[in-house]
Amino acid sequence: THEKVLWQFSAIDFSTLQPDLLTPEDIEAVRGAMLVESHNPVYTMRILEYYRHDHEVTAFVTTWGYEELKHYGVLRTYLEATGLVDIEDLARELAVTRAGQWGDEETRFSRVQSFTYAMVQEQATARFYKRFAEYAKEPLLKDILRLISKDEYRHCQYYLDKGKEELALGGDRLREVDEVLL
């Protein structure tokens, strides 16, 4: 599924960008999303370690990590192309963001908890990008946000399916899901 729907960063024509249609809120939202996406290498490293014995999941995580890093790259390129951000400030902010750790609590999750956490995270992220695309006036930004949103919904579906597989194994797994949701 992922191979069928991969979009190409190089297919995005940044020369069509219309910065006059952007609001300060648009720029801040893109910047915030880009910062979150920039932390992906840390997150990917941790979850690859967590799932290292499950080749199916690690194959997905590798593709997922590529797509998430592509989200960062396209958002950063978009921000820089607007001419509305200080690139040196952005670089400093990214250095701080990438220095952070991820997941001391999350690395103690059971498999079903890990899938639940990731599913909720992907769902919330997908909804953010979808709603932002509906709000944005700048056409290229709308297109980029829609591409990212579709990826995030597909990631959510994968984690939902994996969580269902875990729940089908029985036991007290539903309680573990509740712990993450709470």
Side-chain angles (χ1 to χ4, degrees), residues 1 13 15 23-24 99 133 145 147 177:
T1 299
D13 184 359
S15 71
T23 66
L145 296 171
L147 287 172
V177 169

Side-chain angles (χ1 to χ4, degrees), residues 50-59 111 115 158 162:
Y50 183 88
Y51 289 113
R52 69 186 178 275
H53 298 293
D54 185 327
H55 292 140
E56 181 219 328
V57 175
T58 57
R111 281 178 62 91
F115 293 138
Y158 177 82
K162 293 305 291 179

Side-chain angles (χ1 to χ4, degrees), residues 105-124:
E105 179 182 353
E106 290 82 0
T107 56
R108 292 189 296 274
F109 283 165
S110 68
R111 281 178 62 91
V112 74
Q113 287 175 317
S114 178
F115 293 138
T116 301
Y117 178 85
M119 184 268 306
V120 169
Q121 185 178 12
E122 295 293 330
Q123 175 74 11

Side-chain angles (χ1 to χ4, degrees), residues 96-145:
V96 170
T97 299
R98 289 181 178 165
Q101 288 297 312
W102 175 86
D104 289 339
E105 179 182 353
E106 290 82 0
T107 56
R108 292 189 296 274
F109 283 165
S110 68
R111 281 178 62 91
V112 74
Q113 287 175 317
S114 178
F115 293 138
T116 301
Y117 178 85
M119 184 268 306
V120 169
Q121 185 178 12
E122 295 293 330
Q123 175 74 11
T125 305
R127 291 184 57 76
F128 164 78
Y129 286 119
K130 181 177 186 248
R131 294 291 297 171
F132 187 9
E134 292 169 0
Y135 164 82
K137 303 286 186 260
E138 204 284 312
L140 181 59
L141 179 58
K142 288 175 95 58
D143 290 345
I144 289 170
L145 296 171

Side-chain angles (χ1 to χ4, degrees), residues 1-8 67 70 147 151 154:
T1 299
H2 300 289
E3 290 175 349
K4 291 177 189 173
V5 297
L6 285 176
W7 51 271
Q8 301 299 312
E67 290 180 350
K70 190 166 57 170
L147 287 172
D151 286 349
R154 187 170 24 82

